[in-house]
């Protein structure tokens, strides 16, 4: 497939089938001015949406919610894999999840509600992003058996709470553009792209996505994939040449870069566990968050080798 | 949610703000009703009810995408979504739009079958300009419509917006790079007459140029009152090869050639159905004779550039708006139906036929036991009143068959017993007043709204702990 053709976004390119979506475009094409214009319009849109605030500490959210969120996130990622969804679908569902929680309060201890929310968000994201959408019977939450009518009610509640604004930008849409701008041509390969995708996914497990603009996450992930030793100055120098992101706060990018790096460091310091079954224990409400985090990270990693990650951007 | 028990108005709050007039349309997606807002009787609303999705599928993806798109856009030449209502009883969805009395299908038909006279130049040009203006807005917001046809192009009736064109029906529209299902999936039947040649030839990737092809076809139809390429549709799934439609196009425009359309050779059907396609040879393009325009006429020049085979060479909406045609007299205007020049004859188009014998309930798929209550719809309009101003029954294009207006003196509108649905939730979650994009509430107000939302009851029938105020 011609990668130039898939880049001509300003012509509103549409794809009728899945064949091109499953292919990886390892070659990063030279973006034209149209791409710049498109990327700028996306960044503008993020700003207009008022969804995102550049808050780089997330200490104020309740601890039980964080714990329940991690459970939901792990369920979303494992179900994504089982149902064969794109990574961007999982990320999108987390955006819905966090936006819902920023607008409505769920009572302390109602893990079932959080889980149901996770199911509804993934199902909605699939309806937005995926070619074929499985019936609700395929979304099996561990420990709870939600009837499809109950899931549908939750879908409606999410839709109403988000005021039907389901079109949300994810960092994935920016990746190729930022790679082509930030990386040296010969250095930019599939491995780096996969690395950036992994950074984004690991990050999305840890933070409230409402605190970080998708474009900022994308730039930070690309920077980190290329070089994990950037200082404030070298980072600013690198992004200084990228005109399409001039409207973004450099401070936010730098903080996000460090957060991503922190997430990676934490992850690399945890011992590996091969025996962890991704599909079990995800919904046990009283799980120990620390232990769980370690286990699921590694489980997730193993189920998602690099190759696969890059294939389904 | 119990408060409404024993109340005569056993209907959800959202429904009580409307007086239902009747059914005005029906399609694969569901039904469309005409209603008036009680608090402002001069305001007409079209209420589109989505069909129930299959059990186990949850909220229909088509509904989600259409509403999501409509929430993103705001333009004078695009239909305005006023409200989204969720009927919590049966989880059905209703979209409330500003009502438009006319559409191009009916306008063209009226000229062809009733007045036997071409549409005046001013009206054709104004409609086309506004259609392109709306389309240019959509395309610059990265939205392609994919199903433009005369019945989806609405024209406002009497009132402040008289004669303003509105692009409607975003059931197939897509934003950015959202994945597409083949057009024939979902049981959605798209008429093939306005379909671009690249789609007919099986292109997997296509662009906003498909909408411009459709505009070209509509332009020609406004001029001649006949569909330009009226092919016989092959009915089969999935997405069969439409040879006859292509043949109709080739007959008028001549065969496309690889010289003029370089990527032609890569299109699936061009290769696999080579013999069929090239069976007839049409060398002499005859578009000007079909549309009765001189090749020197700017209208012809514009039309032929919209009907360019190669999608990359086809005119864009923005380019079309700059065309010489729109700078010549008569200049296009905002009220497409009433020319500014005195002396021009004004055509009175018939109003949309309304089936006053149908109500929301007749189509609501809720359990029979719950349908049994017979509440009278307050303020329901009598059939005779309607008959005075409305024409004889006529087929509605989007409707499968004929609809008849049944005369009834005092019609009793039997409304569904929606009362079991959680009123609080319906009010809190179901009714989303639409805001103009970019006109966000000031932060303090948003905060207030958010707090209000949090305080709202979150009743979800059938739920554990549904009495909890906080979900």
């Amino acid at each position: 497939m011609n990668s130039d053709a898939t880049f001509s976004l300003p012509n509103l390119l549409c794809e009728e089938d899945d064949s091109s979506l499953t292919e990886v475009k390892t070659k990063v094409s030279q973006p034209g001015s149209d791409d710049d214009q498109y990327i700028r319009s996306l960044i503008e849109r993020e700003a207009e949406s008022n969804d995102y605030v550049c808050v780089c500490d997330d200490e104020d959210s309740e601890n039980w919610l964080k714990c329940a969120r991690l459970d939901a996130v792990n369920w979303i990622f494992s179900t994504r894999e089982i149902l064969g969804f794109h990574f961007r679908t999982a990320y999108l569902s987390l955006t819905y999840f966090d936006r819902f929680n920023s607008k409505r309060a769920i009572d302390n201890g109602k893990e079932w509600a959080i889980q149901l929310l996770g199911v509804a968000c993934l199902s909605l994201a699939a309806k937005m992003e995926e070619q074929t959408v499985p019936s609700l019977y395929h979304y099996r939450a561990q420990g709870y058996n939600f009837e499809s009518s109950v899931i549908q009610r939750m879908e409606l509640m999410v839709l109403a709470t988000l005021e039907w604004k389901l079109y949300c930008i994810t960092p994935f849409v920016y990746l190729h553009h930022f790679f082509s701008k930030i990386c040296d041509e010969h250095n930019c390969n599939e491995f780096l792209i996969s690395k950036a995708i992994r950074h984004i996914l690991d990050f999305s497990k840890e933070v409230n996505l409402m605190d970080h603009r998708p474009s900022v996450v994308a730039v930070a992930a690309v920077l980190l994939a290329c070089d994990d030793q950037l200082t404030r100055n070298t980072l600013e120098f690198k992004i200084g040449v990228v005109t399409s992101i001039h409207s973004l706060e450099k401070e936010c990018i730098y903080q996000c870069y460090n957060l991503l790096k922190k997430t990676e460091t934490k992850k690399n310091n945890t011992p590996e566990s091969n025996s962890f079954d991704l599909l079990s224990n995800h919904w046990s409400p009283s799980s120990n968050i620390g232990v769980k985090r370690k286990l699921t990270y590694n489980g997730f990693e193993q189920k998602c080798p690099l190759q696969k990650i890059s294939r389904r951007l | 949610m119990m408060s409404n028990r024993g109340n005569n108005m056993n209907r959800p709050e959202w429904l009580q703000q409307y007086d239902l007039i009747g059914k005005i349309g029906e399609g694969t997606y569901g039904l469309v009703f005409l209603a008036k807002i009680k608090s402002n009787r001069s305001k007409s609303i079209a209420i589109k009810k989505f069909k129930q999705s299959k059990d186990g599928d949850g909220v229909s993806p088509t509904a989600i995408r259409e509403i999501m798109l409509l929430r993103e856009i705001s333009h004078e030449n695009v239909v305005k979504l006023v409200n989204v209502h969720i009927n919590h009883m049966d989880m059905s969805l209703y979209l409330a739009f500003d009502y438009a009395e006319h559409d191009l299908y009916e306008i063209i038909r009226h000229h062809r079958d009733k007045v036997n006279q071409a549409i005046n130049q001013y009206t054709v040009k104004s409609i086309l300009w506004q259609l392109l203006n709306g389309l240019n807005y959509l395309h610059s917001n990265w939205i392609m419509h994919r199903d433009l046809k005369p019945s989806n192009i609405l024209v406002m009736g009497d009132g402040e917006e008289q004669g303003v064109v509105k692009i409607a029906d975003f059931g197939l529209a897509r934003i950015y790079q959202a994945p597409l299902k083949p057009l024939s999936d979902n049981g959605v039947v798209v008429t093939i007459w306005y379909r671009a040649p690249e789609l007919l030839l099986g292109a997997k990737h296509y662009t906003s140029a498909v909408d411009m092809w459709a505009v070209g076809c509509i332009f020609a139809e406004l001029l001649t009152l006949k569909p330009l390429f009226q092919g016989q549709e092959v009915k089969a799934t999935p997405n069969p090869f439409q040879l006859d439609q292509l043949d109709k196009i080739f007959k008028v425009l001549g065969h496309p050639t690889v010289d003029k359309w370089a990527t032609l050779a890569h299109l699936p059907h061009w290769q696999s159905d080579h013999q069929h396609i090239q069976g007839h040879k049409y060398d002499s393009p005859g578009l000007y004779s079909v549309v009765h325009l001189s090749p020197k006429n700017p209208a012809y020049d514009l039309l032929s550039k919209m009907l360019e085979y190669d999608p990359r060479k086809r005119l864009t909406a923005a380019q079309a708006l700059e065309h010489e045609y729109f700078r010549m007299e008569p200049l296009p205007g905002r009220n497409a139906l009433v020319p500014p020049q005195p002396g021009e004859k004004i055509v009175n188009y018939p109003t949309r036929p309304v089936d006053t014998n149908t109500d929301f309930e007749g189509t609501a798929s809720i359990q029979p036991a719950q349908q049994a209550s017979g509440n009278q719809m307050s303020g329901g309009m009598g059939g005779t009143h309607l008959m005075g101003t409305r024409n004889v029954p006529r087929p509605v294009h989007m409707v499968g068959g004929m609809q008849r207006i049944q005369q009834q003196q005092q019609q009793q509108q039997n409304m569904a017993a929606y009362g079991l649905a959680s009123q609080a939730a319906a009010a809190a979650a179901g009714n989303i007043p639409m805001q103009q994009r970019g006109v966000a509430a000031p932060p303090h107000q948003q905060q207030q709204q958010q707090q209000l939302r949090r305080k709202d009851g979150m009743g979800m029938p059938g739920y554990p702990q549904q009495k909890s105020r906080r979900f």
Side-chain angles (χ1 to χ4, degrees):
Chain A
M1 206 184 62
N2 180 351
S3 67
D4 285 339
T6 57
F7 256 93
S8 59
L9 293 170
N11 286 328
L12 300 184
L13 182 104
C14 274
E15 317 202 17
E16 274 273 354
D17 69 2
D18 202 38
S19 62
S20 59
L21 296 173
T22 50
E23 283 170 31
V24 210
K25 291 174 282 297
T26 47
K27 177 179 167 282
V28 176
S29 72
Q30 282 299 314
S33 60
D34 276 356
D35 287 325
D36 268 8
Q37 194 196 340
Y38 178 66
I39 295 297
R40 267 177 232 258
S41 82
L42 290 178
I43 291 175
E44 245 171 64
R45 232 186 157 82
E46 279 180 14
E48 277 172 25
S49 74
N50 288 328
D51 280 336
Y52 305 100
V53 273
C54 180
V55 176
C56 294
D57 77 301
D58 49 353
E59 295 307 315
D60 50 340
S61 94
E62 297 168 74
N63 202 41
W64 83 269
L65 184 64
K66 271 192 189 171
C67 176
R69 182 187 185 274
L70 188 65
D71 277 350
V73 173
N74 284 327
W75 177 84
I76 284 172
F77 279 128
S78 60
T79 306
R80 178 213 72 81
E81 202 189 0
I82 294 165
L83 299 179
F85 294 160
H86 298 94
F87 282 122
R88 60 167 190 264
T89 305
Y91 190 97
L92 188 62
S93 71
L94 288 181
T95 308
Y96 298 159
F97 185 96
D98 288 339
R99 245 171 85 204
F100 183 95
N101 282 317
S102 72
K103 288 176 186 244
R104 273 190 198 275
I106 293 179
D107 272 349
N108 191 345
K110 289 216 176 97
E111 277 85 5
W112 66 268
I114 296 282
Q115 290 165 37
L116 180 55
L117 176 62
V119 174
C121 288
L122 184 60
S123 148
L124 288 173
K127 285 171 183 174
M128 287 291 292
E129 285 295 322
E130 299 292 332
Q131 289 262 321
T132 40
V133 180
S135 100
L136 295 178
Y137 303 116
H138 289 88
Y139 296 88
R140 290 176 184 270
Q142 193 76 27
Y144 291 88
N145 187 15
F146 297 121
E147 281 178 24
S148 57
S149 65
V150 173
I151 300 174
Q152 186 172 347
R153 271 186 206 288
M154 193 68 207
E155 284 185 334
L156 286 170
M157 185 175 283
V158 173
L159 288 165
T161 304
L162 304 188
E163 297 172 328
W164 293 88
K165 290 181 178 169
L166 256 60
Y167 176 70
C168 299
I169 294 160
T170 68
F172 299 101
V173 72
Y174 295 110
L175 281 185
H176 282 95
H177 175 82
F178 290 158
F179 260 115
S180 70
K181 295 284 186 184
I182 291 169
C183 272
D184 295 337
E185 179 79 24
H186 60 281
N187 282 337
C188 184
N189 55 30
E190 194 180 337
F191 174 72
L192 284 185
I193 292 172
S194 311
K195 214 168 138 189
I197 292 170
R198 210 182 55 229
H199 291 327
I200 291 168
L201 294 172
D202 290 337
F203 181 72
S204 71
K205 287 185 167 189
E206 299 280 326
V207 301
N208 182 341
L209 297 184
M210 292 302 93
D211 294 343
H212 306 275
R213 287 177 60 167
S215 52
V216 170
V217 176
V219 179
V222 167
L223 288 166
L224 184 62
C226 297
D227 186 348
D228 61 2
Q229 299 299 322
L230 292 176
T231 63
R232 169 89 197 224
N233 281 341
T234 50
L235 180 138
E236 282 194 16
F237 177 75
K238 278 215 168 210
I239 58 176
V241 295
V242 189
T243 52
S244 50
I245 57 171
H246 276 176
S247 65
L248 298 178
E249 295 273 344
K250 291 192 178 68
E251 178 61 27
C252 283
I253 297 173
Y254 184 61
Q255 289 198 34
C256 190
Y257 173 86
N258 283 328
L259 262 177
L260 281 162
K261 203 165 133 182
K262 209 171 96 188
T263 311
E264 291 310 300
T265 317
K266 199 156 83 183
K267 183 185 138 195
N268 293 335
N269 290 340
T270 55
E272 221 165 281
S273 162
N274 293 348
S275 58
F276 188 74
D277 177 2
L278 266 179
L279 292 181
S280 61
N281 295 326
H282 279 275
W283 287 129
S284 54
S286 58
S287 66
N288 176 318
I289 188 168
V291 172
K292 200 158 179 159
R293 189 172 293 171
K294 285 178 206 163
L295 293 173
T296 46
Y297 260 133
N298 294 316
F300 176 63
E301 282 286 278
Q302 296 204 331
K303 297 260 172 170
C304 304
L306 284 179
Q307 225 181 347
K308 198 154 186 189
I309 289 173
S310 60
R311 185 142 326 140
R312 296 190 70 88
L313 173 62
Chain B
M1 80 185 242
M2 293 304 191
S3 63
N4 265 32
R5 279 268 166 89
N7 188 335
N8 274 344
M9 301 302 291
N10 207 4
R11 293 185 276 127
E13 226 166 277
W14 73 265
L15 195 54
Q16 289 179 33
Q17 61 182 294
Y18 300 111
D19 284 335
L20 179 74
I21 311 295
K23 186 171 82 173
I24 50 173
E26 189 174 344
T28 43
Y29 51 83
L31 300 161
V32 184
F33 301 93
L34 174 61
K36 291 209 177 267
I37 297 179
K38 277 183 191 166
S39 58
N40 177 8
R41 295 277 308 168
S42 64
K43 187 118 171 104
S44 292
I45 295 288
I47 298 180
K48 175 169 172 175
K49 182 195 178 178
F50 279 102
K51 250 183 199 161
Q52 289 293 78
S53 50
K54 231 172 56 222
D55 195 33
D57 284 354
V59 183
S60 121
T62 317
I64 292 173
R65 284 179 170 169
E66 177 167 4
I67 300 169
M68 176 274 292
L69 272 175
L70 288 163
R71 294 289 283 116
E72 297 275 333
I73 53 188
S74 164
H75 189 269
E76 182 172 42
N77 298 122
V78 175
V79 78
K80 188 179 173 209
L81 178 65
V82 185
N83 229 323
V84 179
H85 301 291
I86 300 171
N87 203 51
H88 287 264
M89 178 71 198
D90 61 349
M91 295 192 279
S92 53
L93 286 172
Y94 295 82
L95 306 191
F97 293 97
D98 277 349
Y99 176 66
E101 190 65 77
H102 314 288
D103 61 63
L104 293 193
Y105 179 85
E106 291 299 335
I107 288 173
I108 291 166
R109 210 176 66 94
H110 184 70
H111 279 270
R112 187 184 60 226
D113 300 348
K114 294 277 159 28
V115 297
N116 237 322
Q117 181 187 30
I119 304 173
N120 77 62
Q121 279 193 56
Y122 166 81
T123 298
V124 171
K125 194 181 284 186
S126 303
I127 288 173
L128 185 66
W129 193 88
Q130 293 187 43
L131 170 56
L132 287 165
N133 195 35
L135 197 59
N136 182 40
Y137 167 81
L138 293 175
H139 288 176
S140 38
N141 281 281
W142 320 97
I143 294 165
M144 77 172 98
H145 188 286
R146 303 203 308 158
D147 193 20
L148 289 176
K149 55 185 173 188
S151 58
N152 283 343
I153 316 298
L154 310 181
V155 182
M156 299 297 279
D158 293 345
E160 194 276 315
E161 284 200 291
Q162 189 193 23
V164 172
V165 173
K166 307 272 179 184
I167 299 174
D169 204 335
F170 287 77
L172 287 174
R174 287 295 177 267
I175 195 167
Y176 302 92
Q177 274 195 304
L180 294 176
K181 287 192 168 188
L183 288 165
S184 56
D185 271 17
N186 302 324
V188 177
V189 184
V190 186
T191 178
I192 59 168
W193 297 347
Y194 308 91
R195 200 176 288 177
E198 61 270 29
L199 288 175
L200 293 166
L201 287 166
K204 297 269 188 241
H205 312 291
Y206 53 91
T207 65
S208 52
V210 298
D211 286 338
M212 286 305 292
W213 179 273
V215 174
C217 297
I218 294 167
F219 183 21
E221 196 167 334
L222 285 168
L223 294 169
T224 66
L225 307 180
K226 276 196 301 246
L228 180 59
F229 307 120
Q230 215 166 346
Q232 281 286 330
E233 182 161 4
V234 183
K235 306 258 183 192
T237 45
N239 217 7
F241 176 50
Q242 302 288 355
L243 178 63
D244 191 56
Q245 182 64 27
L246 274 172
D247 202 54
K248 293 284 191 301
I249 296 172
F250 296 166
K251 207 177 271 178
V252 174
L253 300 178
H255 257 98
T257 58
V258 180
D259 290 347
K260 289 178 186 157
W261 182 3
T263 51
L264 180 63
H266 305 297
L267 293 172
H269 291 305
W270 183 257
Q271 295 175 324
S272 60
D273 298 86
H274 196 76
Q275 288 148 329
H276 288 119
I277 292 175
Q278 315 246 356
H280 302 106
K281 276 282 179 198
Y282 304 110
D283 296 322
S284 51
L287 178 62
Y288 57 91
S289 62
V290 176
V291 294
H292 313 295
L293 288 174
S294 149
K296 287 177 191 158
N297 190 324
Y300 175 81
D301 185 70
L302 175 59
L303 176 64
S304 61
K305 285 172 174 161
M306 291 174 172
L307 297 175
E308 169 66 52
Y309 274 125
D310 187 342
R312 283 185 296 187
K313 293 180 191 157
R314 205 172 295 151
L315 219 57
T316 65
Q319 288 165 342
L321 287 167
E322 296 296 314
H323 195 273
E324 185 194 352
Y325 172 65
F326 293 116
R327 296 181 192 175
M328 297 169 21
E329 294 286 336
L331 294 174
R334 181 173 187 261
N335 185 343
L337 301 181
V338 182
Q341 303 90 341
E344 281 268 8
K345 194 177 161 232
I346 295 166
V347 182
N348 284 310
Y349 296 102
T351 53
R352 227 172 263 284
V354 181
D355 176 1
T356 54
N357 205 29
T358 311
D359 54 31
F360 290 130
E361 186 218 47
T363 58
S365 52
I366 50 176
Q367 289 148 23
Q370 290 157 347
Q371 282 182 320
S373 84
N375 294 313
Q376 185 172 344
M377 180 174 175
S378 67
M381 292 188 75
T384 42
H385 176 77
L386 284 172
M387 287 307 288
T389 54
R390 291 180 187 275
N391 254 11
V392 284
R394 56 200 170 112
V396 175
H397 183 57
M398 49 187 171
V399 180
M402 293 283 282
Q403 294 187 350
R404 302 212 164 265
I405 300 169
Q406 304 206 351
Q407 287 201 42
Q408 282 186 311
Q409 282 295 325
Q410 273 298 320
Q411 187 176 338
Q412 298 224 335
Q413 301 276 6
N414 189 10
M415 300 306 292
Y418 291 113
L420 281 178
S422 161
Q423 301 303 326
N431 297 350
I432 311 151
M434 297 302 157
Q435 251 183 8
Q436 295 267 321
R437 199 176 148 213
V439 196
H444 67 278
Q445 210 172 316
Q446 286 182 339
Q447 208 175 2
Q448 264 175 4
Q449 283 169 356
Q450 207 171 85
Q451 280 163 359
L452 283 175
R453 262 197 300 271
R454 281 166 187 259
K455 281 178 189 161
D456 274 320
M458 297 268 295
M460 289 177 69
Y463 260 57
Q465 298 157 340
Q466 57 173 291
K467 277 176 191 159
S468 154
R469 282 180 61 96
R470 293 187 76 214
F471 180 23

